[in-house]
Amino acid sequence: MQILVEKTESNTLYKLLTGLVIPRPIGWISTKDENGINNLAPFSFFNIVGEDPPHIMFSTVRTGNKNKDTLNNVLATKEFVVNLVTEDLVEQMNLTSNNVTSDVDEFELANLTPIPSQTIKPMRVGESKAHFECEMVHHYFLENHTNGGACVVIGKVKMIHVNEEILLDNYKINLETYKPVARLAGSNYSKLGEIFTIKRNL
């Protein structure tokens, strides 16, 4: 089957993209609005951009041409934290994906512990095993959309927090104690599963 994008409905494209590009890491983004209210929401259009210097990206859809609270907060304050999602936090992460009003603190909604960041104002999820404190350096609104499109946000990583229980020697990560979760399509998520190794040709 061949699918011409310009002649395909957006909901069909969404199902194809999110069903084929898997698994996707989850960026659990915490922000503060200009009144100091905490916001926390998960995004699976998320990944690292590079390490020299470290940058991270996430993308938020704008259904009905409306910004999510996360995007409004990042555009206003230029700051956000990426909290990493592990198996023990899936239910709470899912709660923070609920569509609630901007005055609701998702840390309270999901019974999570807000802890201070060191270089920026947004709080970190105390139960998360790793966090990236980020300063927004670039954003881009997708053009030629039909229902709001999306906005891609790129942040420069200012500080990394890693729980020592997931650290091995020489800053390697212990996957057995880390236990990250990835996003699939629909309501589906995945654990790491089988791991295999292929050495690169030098």
Side-chain angles (χ1 to χ4, degrees):
M1 177 181 288
Q2 295 177 323
I3 299 163
L4 188 61
V5 169
E6 65 182 24
K7 294 186 178 180
T8 306
E9 293 184 358
S10 60
N11 63 338
T12 299
L13 294 172
Y14 178 83
K15 285 188 284 188
L16 287 167
L17 290 168
T18 57
L20 291 170
V21 184
I22 57 172
R24 299 186 305 281
I26 302 168
W28 207 6
I29 310 296
S30 52
T31 58
K32 274 185 181 289
D33 70 11
E34 293 180 294
N35 296 315
I37 297 175
N38 293 321
N39 178 264
L40 180 64
F43 296 86
S44 68
F45 292 178
F46 157 76
N47 220 310
I48 55 174
V49 176
E51 92 316 321
D52 183 22
H55 282 69
I56 280 177
M57 67 73 60
F58 75 95
S59 176
T60 169
V61 298
R62 300 182 62 253
T63 305
N65 287 294
K66 294 182 179 179
N67 290 352
K68 292 182 180 292
D69 293 336
T70 299
L71 180 58
N72 284 332
N73 294 347
V74 171
L75 293 179
T77 68
K78 310 294 191 292
E79 295 180 336
F80 63 95
V81 176
V82 177
N83 307 274
L84 279 304
V85 179
T86 47
E87 292 178 20
D88 56 322
L89 293 173
V90 169
E91 293 295 334
Q92 288 159 296
M93 177 274 297
N94 191 48
L95 271 176
T96 64
S97 69
N98 291 347
N99 186 18
V100 296
T101 57
S102 59
D103 60 343
V104 173
D105 183 331
E106 284 87 355
F107 282 87
E108 295 180 3
L109 179 69
N111 195 28
L112 293 163
T113 307
I115 59 176
S117 296
Q118 299 300 307
T119 66
I120 58 176
K121 292 181 180 179
M123 305 297 276
R124 296 179 287 135
V125 174
E127 291 78 5
S128 180
K129 293 182 174 68
H131 321 88
F132 300 100
E133 297 182 17
C134 299
E135 176 185 19
M136 187 188 77
V137 295
H138 183 67
H139 70 282
Y140 168 69
F141 288 91
L142 301 188
E143 300 174 353
N144 302 319
H145 54 76
T146 58
N147 192 36
C151 182
V152 179
V153 174
I154 296 178
K156 181 177 182 178
V157 179
K158 301 180 70 175
M159 181 167 283
I160 302 171
H161 302 263
V162 184
N163 190 312
E164 290 187 2
E165 74 177 77
I166 68 171
L167 271 178
L168 297 171
D169 292 340
N170 199 26
Y171 300 100
K172 292 182 179 178
I173 302 299
N174 186 337
L175 297 178
E176 292 183 1
T177 56
Y178 181 24
K179 298 183 180 180
V181 171
R183 189 78 165 87
L184 301 177
S187 299
N188 298 316
Y189 294 81
S190 71
K191 302 176 183 180
L192 281 183
E194 181 183 356
I195 298 172
F196 60 93
T197 301
I198 300 177
K199 291 189 178 296
R200 294 187 180 186
N201 295 322
L202 299 179

Coordinates of all heavy atoms in Angstrom, one line a residue, residues 40 92 94-100 104-112:
L40 N 2.3 19.5 34.7 CA 3.1 18.2 34.4 C 2.3 17.4 33.4 O 1.1 17.2 33.6 CB 3.3 17.4 35.7 CG 4.0 16.1 35.6 CD1 5.5 16.3 35.1 CD2 4.0 15.4 36.9
Q92 N 0.6 7.0 37.5 CA 0.7 8.5 37.8 C 0.9 9.3 36.5 O 0.4 10.4 36.3 CB 1.7 8.7 38.9 CG 1.3 8.2 40.2 CD 2.4 8.0 41.2 OE1 3.3 7.2 40.9 NE2 2.4 8.8 42.3
N94 N 0.0 8.5 33.6 CA -1.2 8.5 32.8 C -2.2 9.5 33.4 O -3.0 10.1 32.6 CB -1.8 7.1 32.8 CG -3.0 6.9 31.8 OD1 -2.9 7.3 30.7 ND2 -4.1 6.4 32.3
L95 N -2.3 9.6 34.7 CA -3.2 10.6 35.3 C -2.9 12.0 34.8 O -3.8 12.8 34.6 CB -3.1 10.6 36.8 CG -3.9 9.6 37.6 CD1 -3.6 9.6 39.1 CD2 -5.4 9.9 37.4
T96 N -1.6 12.3 34.7 CA -1.2 13.7 34.3 C -1.5 14.0 32.8 O -1.2 15.1 32.4 CB 0.3 14.0 34.6 OG1 1.1 13.1 33.8 CG2 0.6 13.7 36.1
S97 N -1.9 13.0 32.0 CA -2.3 13.2 30.7 C -3.7 13.7 30.5 O -4.2 14.0 29.4 CB -2.1 12.0 29.8 OG -3.0 11.0 30.2
N98 N -4.5 13.7 31.7 CA -5.9 14.1 31.6 C -6.0 15.6 31.2 O -5.1 16.4 31.5 CB -6.5 14.0 33.0 CG -6.7 12.5 33.4 OD1 -6.6 11.6 32.6 ND2 -7.0 12.3 34.7
N99 N -7.1 15.9 30.5 CA -7.3 17.3 30.1 C -8.0 18.0 31.2 O -9.2 17.9 31.4 CB -8.2 17.2 28.8 CG -8.4 18.6 28.2 OD1 -7.6 19.5 28.5 ND2 -9.4 18.7 27.3
V100 N -7.2 18.8 31.9 CA -7.7 19.6 33.1 C -7.5 21.1 32.8 O -6.7 21.4 32.0 CB -7.1 19.1 34.4 CG1 -7.5 17.7 34.7 CG2 -5.6 19.3 34.4
V104 N -5.1 23.6 37.6 CA -4.9 22.4 38.3 C -3.4 22.0 38.3 O -2.7 22.0 37.3 CB -5.7 21.2 37.6 CG1 -5.4 19.9 38.3 CG2 -7.2 21.5 37.7
D105 N -2.9 21.7 39.5 CA -1.5 21.3 39.7 C -1.5 19.7 39.6 O -2.0 19.0 40.4 CB -1.1 21.7 41.1 CG 0.4 21.3 41.4 OD1 0.9 20.4 40.8 OD2 1.0 22.0 42.2
E106 N -0.9 19.3 38.5 CA -0.9 17.8 38.2 C 0.0 17.0 39.2 O -0.2 15.8 39.3 CB -0.4 17.5 36.8 CG -1.5 17.8 35.7 CD -1.5 19.2 35.2 OE1 -0.7 20.1 35.8 OE2 -2.2 19.5 34.3
F107 N 0.9 17.7 39.9 CA 1.7 17.0 40.9 C 0.7 16.6 42.0 O 0.7 15.5 42.5 CB 2.7 17.9 41.5 CG 4.0 18.1 40.7 CD1 4.0 19.1 39.7 CD2 5.1 17.3 40.9 CE1 5.2 19.2 39.0 CE2 6.2 17.5 40.2 CZ 6.3 18.4 39.2
E108 N -0.2 17.5 42.4 CA -1.2 17.1 43.4 C -2.2 16.1 42.8 O -2.6 15.2 43.5 CB -2.0 18.4 43.8 CG -1.1 19.4 44.6 CD -1.9 20.7 45.0 OE1 -3.1 20.7 44.8 OE2 -1.2 21.6 45.6
L109 N -2.6 16.3 41.6 CA -3.6 15.4 41.0 C -3.1 14.0 41.0 O -3.9 13.0 41.3 CB -3.8 15.8 39.5 CG -4.8 15.0 38.7 CD1 -6.2 15.2 39.2 CD2 -4.8 15.4 37.2
A110 N -1.8 13.8 40.7 CA -1.3 12.4 40.7 C -0.5 12.0 41.9 O 0.1 10.9 41.9 CB -0.3 12.3 39.4
N111 N -0.6 12.8 43.0 CA 0.0 12.5 44.2 C 1.5 12.3 44.1 O 2.1 11.3 44.5 CB -0.6 11.3 44.9 CG -0.2 11.1 46.4 OD1 0.0 12.1 47.0 ND2 -0.2 9.9 46.9
L112 N 2.1 13.2 43.4 CA 3.6 13.2 43.2 C 4.3 14.3 44.0 O 3.7 15.3 44.4 CB 3.9 13.4 41.7 CG 3.4 12.3 40.7 CD1 3.4 12.8 39.3 CD2 4.3 11.1 40.8

